[in-house]
Amino acid sequence: MSDWKSRSQIVGDVVFFRYVTPGVEQNIDEVFVWDLDKTYLDTSIDSLSKLVLTAIERAFNKRNVPGTVTLLQLLAQNWQQRKGQSRFPLYFISASPPQMEARIAEKFIIDNIRPFGCFYKDNLRNLTPKRFWRLNKQVGYKIQALLQLRQKLKPEVRQICWGDDSEADAVIYNLYSDICARRVGTQDLRSILKSMSVTADQIDEILLLQSQVPENDPVEKIYINLAVDTDPDYYLKFGRRTLPTYNTFQVACDLFQDHRISLEAVHTVAQDMIFNYGFAPEELQRSFDELIRRQVLGESSVKALTQFFIEKGMFPASFSPSLQALKETKVVEGKVYELEGHFEPWVQDRVDYIHDYR
């Protein structure tokens, strides 16, 4: 653990471990960004006691959020085949301390995951009376990490982001998007960040980084795992680009709709959740139907998935969605952006970040 400083790049409390060369990073046109805790790993670090327990836990004892390993492996396989690449452009952002990097890297080896890089928060330096309040304040840290990552990537890169509802990840990813696109003025941005307990030095660093990144919006999609069961309707304030999901099966269904994984891959994720995590087929049926009722899945995807699930014996032959799926009206390069009769914007022109009621 003691050599982590020599293997990382440190800016404030943002610590970055790079596992590929800068040249590789700069040649990728699409990257995948995952939060670690409660999104990939079923861990919690929102208190000192939980942070200590997570730090001492061995790699093989660390539990994954159900279905995530299988989904990530299949997503990587599909991407590598489509792009003709040998490695999947994946980054993790964790609020865990960098002293845990070696242990988490060991977990990635167990899971057969090879990320391009990982960000960690130097949280142990916050274990002093004057800084203790910063232990579970993640907005400044994560936005700074995202902007540092943006600097490393090509100007026209697209990012698909994963987070959860325990650490305001939807706010973080959308605000990061607005910062890159310059949809928020400097004074408004200062006010927003200050209201989120971002320190003055972090705000200055974020504004400096903003001045150094391209003026465009790199965020393609945001998935939010409802780890603490926030009402999905809350996320309408961000637009349809931000998709809250109750489980990995719902993510897999949406990724199929966007042609990022195959029908067989969705089935493999479902089987993993059923046989390794105790999900009942009826739970997955309800999850599928819930996506349709929220008007996430379009007509053609619902038809293909329903027929496939019935053929595989996952759904009964009598299964029928409780609501008619809407037709896709805007599809770009296989990605569904609009459904007939559904008028929520893909990205909101302006988000009220200060009055963040859930």
Side-chain angles (χ1 to χ4, degrees), residues 32 96 115 179 185 210 352:
F32 298 78
S96 298
I179 289 170
Q210 181 190 37
D352 184 354

Side-chain angles (χ1 to χ4, degrees), residues 24 39 63 123 130 139 163 182 210 241 254 315-316 325 356:
V24 172
T39 304
R63 298 175 299 170
N123 239 343
K130 290 185 178 180
V139 174
R182 277 57 168 193
Q210 181 190 37
R241 179 181 64 174
D254 188 71
F315 289 7
D356 192 35

Side-chain angles (χ1 to χ4, degrees), residues 115-154:
F116 272 31
C118 293
F119 289 88
Y120 293 86
K121 182 181 180 183
D122 193 4
N123 239 343
L124 296 190
R125 67 199 291 248
N126 293 324
L127 297 181
T128 61
K130 290 185 178 180
R131 296 175 63 94
F132 194 78
W133 66 273
R134 297 177 64 166
L135 191 66
N136 61 356
K137 301 297 182 184
Q138 315 302 359
V139 174
Y141 156 71
K142 286 190 174 182
I143 289 179
Q144 182 180 330
L146 286 164
L147 287 167
Q148 287 181 206
L149 174 59
R150 182 71 188 92
Q151 282 187 311
K152 303 175 191 301
L153 306 174
K154 65 192 308 183

Side-chain angles (χ1 to χ4, degrees), residues 223-234:
Y223 292 99
I224 298 296
N225 178 39
L226 297 176
V228 296
D229 212 23
T230 304
D231 187 340
D233 286 348
Y234 159 77

